[in-house]
Amino acid sequence: MEHRVEVVWTCGPCEVGGQDALGGRNDDPTCWNCGGPVVVTARPTVRWVVGGSVPEPDAA
């Protein structure tokens, strides 16, 4: 199973943070605690595979 972290965010009022894989949607992430809007702090694309190996990137 492959997982992706595409958005890292923080919610100021709740003082919590989170990571979401948006799954191809264009929806903005929301706070898991209050459901409100959050501030995106990073947009990395991190891939990892559970029970397998991550394929090597193509040589350019």
Side-chain angles (χ1 to χ4, degrees), residues 25-51:
R25 300 176 317 209
N26 289 328
D27 299 338
D28 290 329
T30 57
C31 177
W32 56 265
N33 189 45
C34 71
V38 297
V39 175
V40 174
T41 58
R43 290 194 181 270
T45 299
V46 179
R47 294 179 8 167
W48 69 91
V49 176
V50 176

Side-chain angles (χ1 to χ4, degrees), residues 1 5 7-8 11 13 15-16 20-21 23-24 28 32 34-35 38 41 46-47 49 55-56 58-60:
M1 172 184 278
V5 175
V7 167
V8 179
C11 178
E15 297 182 358
V16 299
D20 288 317
D28 290 329
W32 56 265
C34 71
V38 297
T41 58
V46 179
R47 294 179 8 167
V49 176
E56 293 295 322
D58 293 333

